[in-house]
Amino acid sequence: MKFLVLTLITHTPDPVTGVQTSTHERLRRVIEHAELAEELGYDGYAVGERHERPFISSSPPVVLSHIAARTRTIRLFTGVTTLALLDPVRAYEDYATLDNLADGRLELIIGKGNGSAQRELFAVTPEDQWDRNKESYELFRQLWRTPTVSFQGRYRPPIDTAEVWPKPFQRPIRVWHGSATSERSVDLAVQYGEPLFSANVTNPIEPYADLVAYYRRRWAEAGRDPRDALVGAGTAGFSIARRSQDAIEAFRPLYVAREKALAASGVQPVFASYEDFVDRSSALIGSPQQVGEKIRRIHQYLGNEVLHLHADGEGQSTAEHRASLELFQSEVAPELRRDLPSRPLAAPVNPASEIQHNHSASEKVAI
């Protein structure tokens, strides 16, 4: 099992003190957390993309570029790149530049994104968002693989034998398809033979398991080797302590704050209570043994080889955040890595091979 640390860069008052830090301080902590994740041996650090309150994660390439300059080995993920909202040419330029600055450590998780405010900001409608996502990815994918691109679609001006620069460090980069509840993301992943990353956040695990099963079934029906199907999964929260009650009580204020925010937005609660959330959601809350058992349960349902920890340090001091990530790495991760083996994350290519790269070569992404 491989473990990523994820941030959506929420910018809200501290659920315990009620104090809200400045934007500058919030972003600075993201960089520090990424450095800590590398120091402690996590496999990747993921930055989400949102264009509405309460998030300040509207520019993942900028944030990840700063992280790339402060780290050396940890893989850098997006979570997710909202292609339905973006010009795929501009997105390619940003991420190809980042991939070079990061020495080929970048992996992308793409998806249509969610939230009505950000759709309205980019003039995307519920009716066209999926078509935009698919069309944008078709062009985006070509840009990583061919020296010149011609493309005509519905949602951006056509391009004819265009060159787009810079070329990325990795040829090609690995792209995961982020999926919440729609089969359309799964179908796109299967069409191109690419991995799936299940959100596994809002609901109990059953609907996500159904979608992953659909992915594996469609993968086999497409004539692909079932062993090549690759799945990652998210989690809804993270709080670990040697005593389970300490972990539960530490996360309670954050849960209450989230529920209040959802209620204010008119969203009905999914779980009947905090206790129900701890029990049936994907949140990793409890002692090391309980957290390990929850991860094994998720794996039984999804067969995932990668898991992200929604471990953003909200409601924690710097020391508390470090202690929780250290405890997971020392007492949970080793057994899971041993018992739930996974393929390596994509490895950077040899820079010398870039010079001799043949664009007609077989498109094969390391998994």
Side-chain angles (χ1 to χ4, degrees), residues 11-337:
H11 193 219
T12 57
D14 184 284
V16 177
T17 66
V19 175
Q20 182 165 322
T21 63
S22 67
T23 297
H24 171 265
E25 174 65 18
R26 182 69 184 90
L27 291 171
R28 187 183 67 79
R29 288 198 72 190
V30 169
I31 306 304
E32 291 174 351
H33 291 169
E35 291 179 290
L36 175 62
E38 178 173 82
E39 176 191 337
L40 297 178
Y42 285 87
D43 299 290
Y45 192 83
V47 174
E49 179 178 342
R50 296 289 182 90
H51 299 269
E52 59 185 335
R53 292 181 181 178
F55 309 97
I56 53 173
S57 52
S58 57
S59 299
V62 177
V63 176
L64 287 169
S65 290
H66 195 63
I67 293 172
R70 300 281 291 268
T71 59
R72 290 292 176 268
T73 59
I74 195 168
R75 298 292 293 178
L76 306 178
F77 284 74
T78 62
V80 303
T81 297
T82 54
L83 277 184
L85 310 179
L86 306 177
D87 176 1
V89 174
R90 181 67 219 182
Y92 163 82
E93 292 173 333
D94 287 342
Y95 284 114
T97 301
L98 169 56
D99 192 46
N100 278 282
L101 293 172
D103 299 326
R105 288 186 283 140
L106 179 64
E107 299 203 27
L108 297 174
I109 306 175
I110 66 106
K112 73 167 182 64
N114 54 24
S116 58
Q118 63 181 13
R119 280 201 308 266
E120 293 168 3
L121 185 64
F122 290 91
V124 173
T125 69
E127 292 74 28
D128 69 18
Q129 59 186 345
W130 285 109
D131 290 336
R132 285 179 180 271
N133 183 65
K134 186 175 189 296
E135 179 181 298
S136 291
Y137 184 59
E138 288 169 349
L139 174 53
F140 189 72
R141 192 174 191 276
Q142 285 188 39
L143 290 165
W144 289 96
R145 287 166 166 75
T146 57
T148 60
V149 175
S150 298
F151 190 87
Q152 183 163 353
R154 293 175 56 193
Y155 300 107
R156 75 170 317 279
I159 53 178
D160 182 28
T161 58
E163 293 184 347
V164 184
W165 298 94
K167 296 307 176 188
F169 190 93
Q170 298 177 91
R171 301 286 188 88
I173 196 169
R174 178 162 66 177
V175 175
W176 303 69
H177 293 259
S179 168
T181 57
S182 173
E183 293 180 351
R184 296 188 66 170
S185 291
V186 174
D187 290 337
L188 196 60
V190 170
Q191 178 181 343
Y192 291 111
E194 293 170 334
L196 184 74
F197 213 103
S198 173
N200 191 36
V201 169
T202 305
N203 301 295
I205 198 168
E206 286 79 10
Y208 304 113
D210 289 344
L211 210 60
V212 169
Y214 173 79
Y215 168 69
R216 296 187 188 281
R217 183 170 68 252
R218 294 282 291 116
W219 185 278
E221 290 171 354
R224 303 187 185 280
D225 189 333
R227 294 171 296 181
D228 291 338
L230 178 61
V231 174
T235 57
F238 179 71
S239 180
I240 186 171
R242 295 196 178 281
R243 292 197 326 144
S244 61
Q245 197 58 37
D246 291 339
I248 292 169
E249 291 309 310
F251 195 85
R252 188 185 297 273
L254 184 56
Y255 170 84
V256 171
R258 287 182 183 179
E259 290 299 296
K260 285 182 178 178
L262 291 173
S265 302
V267 178
Q268 294 297 314
V270 173
F271 299 97
S273 64
Y274 178 48
E275 290 70 24
D276 187 34
F277 172 80
V278 171
D279 180 41
R280 294 198 301 126
S281 80
S282 63
L284 306 176
I285 300 173
S287 66
Q289 180 180 350
Q290 290 169 322
V291 167
E293 289 172 353
K294 175 72 75 73
I295 293 172
R296 291 176 190 274
R297 261 197 333 268
I298 292 171
H299 178 75
Q300 286 176 351
Y301 275 94
L302 304 182
N304 57 300
E305 297 183 27
V306 181
L307 188 79
H308 82 50
L309 309 182
H310 201 142
D312 206 20
E314 296 172 278
Q316 292 182 311
S317 67
T318 300
E320 289 169 337
H321 183 57
R322 169 181 277 275
S324 64
L325 290 178
E326 284 181 337
L327 182 59
F328 181 88
Q329 274 290 71
S330 64
E331 298 199 14
V332 181
E335 287 190 5
L336 294 171
R337 293 182 192 279

